Amino acid sequence: AVVSTQSTGSSFSVMRVAVLVLLLPIAIDSCASRDNYFKYVDYYPGDPDTNVILSAPHDGWIKLDTIPDRIKGCYDEVTEVCDFRHDCETNGGVKIDGECNVVTNSDANSSVLAKQMQETIAEITGKRPHLVVSRLHRSKLDPNRFVEEAAQHDATAKHAYHTFHGIIKRVHNALSARGPAVHFDIHGYLTHAADNWTEIGYNIKPSRLNADNFTAEESSVRSLAGRVELQGVSLDSLIRGEDSLGKLVQEENFRTVPSPQYPRPSSGDPGKYFRGGFITRQWGSLNGGVIDAVQIEFPMWVRDNVPLYGPKLGRAMATWIQRYYPTA
């Protein structure tokens, strides 16, 4: 059976679906099925034959008083390791400027945008992608970090973290069994609104893009790069040229980096750029496999008008999916 409860998210109502193995194409592991933790993660199942998954880790709204706020950690200058235990200073740890900082602001409406993308991709390709959304506020949990920084040793936050990534793992296992697939990780930013652009991250450092010196081996689309090279598509063209996702998003009238118009972060002012985070590196093809990962960052004005901009972005993504991740 499927058990559903209603909850209110960032700007829309979501159906929270607790899933039993027999009724879904993807079986959720045991921790994800526990009511106490599954209620902090929303999973919108995709069609059985899709090869696309989306995630939105930073648009949670639930702030449990029982979960301490995430705080700056202590830094060990010898090991260069951060300690995110809340009592790290009492155990001799030291907090140092510029080290072990945490980000706690949410990417408002990024899950709303991801949901619209899911719908648009389904309409165009005929196959609904999977979507996984974290519902704990980022001040309580950040699924786009290693668990120590993400949950800071709180038991409830850790269970929610493992639920979020457990669902992704089950989906990825099913997708990889069928062949090449792609994972889009959806985010938003406020810190450099002057650039006012959409940032497509393939795990390539901005300095490497600016220097025109990057390789497939450092990217989260390593698998795709290898496949299209055999078709005569260069890595440069795939990442920021005529064969890129950036070109398709650019054609929908969004300033986009990297793209033919803005091939480097230095093309902007101040030129800040997020290359992708833990999810992109953990779940993409950087370290092998056939599932690529792409992080996309959107400015606030895009997330403020999802009904207008969501379908345009979904259309660009669907075109890219149809070209590089076709299914029978």
Side-chain angles (χ1 to χ4, degrees):
V2 176
V3 181
S4 301
T5 60
Q6 195 77 12
S7 69
T8 303
S10 298
S11 296
F12 66 102
S13 292
V14 296
M15 291 300 292
R16 181 167 293 120
V17 185
V19 187
L20 294 184
V21 172
L22 295 179
L23 292 186
L24 267 190
I26 306 300
I28 307 305
D29 62 15
S30 59
C31 75
S33 64
R34 298 174 190 165
D35 290 342
N36 287 344
Y37 303 112
F38 195 79
K39 64 185 177 184
Y40 305 132
V41 179
D42 289 327
Y43 170 51
Y44 302 85
D47 288 333
D49 54 349
T50 185
N51 54 2
V52 181
I53 175 175
L54 299 97
S55 56
H58 290 162
D59 195 18
W61 57 275
I62 299 174
K63 294 184 177 182
L64 292 179
D65 292 337
T66 53
I67 300 178
D69 287 348
R70 296 171 59 247
I71 60 175
K72 177 183 178 70
C74 297
Y75 183 68
D76 188 320
E77 293 183 290
V78 176
T79 63
E80 298 184 339
V81 172
C82 294
D83 181 355
F84 288 103
R85 292 175 295 178
H86 279 222
D87 62 351
C88 65
E89 288 179 295
T90 63
N91 292 322
V94 179
K95 296 190 177 183
I96 299 175
D97 288 344
E99 301 291 348
C100 307
N101 296 327
V102 298
V103 179
T104 58
N105 57 287
S106 66
D107 297 351
N109 291 337
S110 55
S111 67
V112 186
L113 183 59
K115 191 71 177 69
Q116 180 60 66
M117 291 170 169
Q118 182 193 36
E119 296 301 321
T120 302
I121 292 170
E123 290 171 6
I124 294 174
T125 67
K127 298 176 177 65
R128 181 177 303 278
H130 300 274
L131 171 60
V132 186
V133 177
S134 175
R135 282 295 167 218
L136 283 176
H137 191 271
R138 196 177 182 185
S139 62
K140 305 296 182 178
L141 175 69
D142 186 345
N144 198 31
R145 300 289 190 273
F146 285 103
V147 65
E148 291 80 10
E149 179 181 352
Q152 298 200 339
H153 301 274
D154 178 82
T156 302
K158 284 173 64 177
H159 276 290
Y161 177 92
H162 291 303
T163 298
F164 180 88
H165 285 282
I167 294 172
I168 291 175
K169 181 178 180 180
R170 292 287 184 172
V171 173
H172 274 237
N173 286 345
L175 298 185
S176 62
R178 294 198 298 271
V182 62
H183 182 149
F184 295 104
D185 194 35
I186 307 304
H187 292 259
Y189 67 87
L190 291 173
T191 55
H192 50 289
D195 283 317
N196 199 33
W197 56 18
T198 294
E199 303 169 12
I200 303 179
Y202 306 99
N203 194 54
I204 299 170
K205 294 179 179 179
S207 59
R208 300 278 281 172
L209 286 170
N210 289 336
D212 301 330
N213 180 23
F214 53 90
T215 66
E217 287 70 28
E218 65 194 282
S219 80
S220 56
V221 292
R222 185 175 181 177
S223 175
L224 173 62
R227 288 191 289 112
V228 300
E229 183 181 21
L230 301 176
Q231 304 167 14
V233 177
S234 70
L235 179 65
D236 191 84
S237 187
L238 176 67
I239 297 299
R240 59 187 186 179
E242 292 301 308
D243 299 290
S244 66
L245 176 59
K247 178 177 186 291
L248 296 171
V249 176
Q250 173 186 297
E251 288 176 346
E252 294 288 348
N253 295 316
F254 296 90
R255 294 179 78 238
T256 307
V257 61
S259 68
Q261 185 177 5
Y262 300 100
R264 307 167 194 87
S266 59
S267 306
D269 182 17
K272 287 196 70 175
Y273 166 76
F274 292 117
R275 66 183 175 119
F278 173 78
I279 290 173
T280 307
R281 288 183 280 278
Q282 174 72 15
W283 296 113
S285 58
L286 173 66
N287 297 310
V290 296
I291 302 181
D292 301 299
V294 179
Q295 176 175 300
I296 313 181
E297 292 267 359
F298 297 97
M300 194 66 240
W301 62 269
V302 173
R303 292 174 281 133
D304 274 342
N305 198 342
V306 169
L308 177 62
Y309 298 122
K312 294 180 179 181
L313 293 162
R315 182 165 59 218
M317 294 162 72
T319 301
W320 200 67
I321 290 165
Q322 288 177 316
R323 174 172 182 181
Y324 293 120
Y325 302 94
T327 56

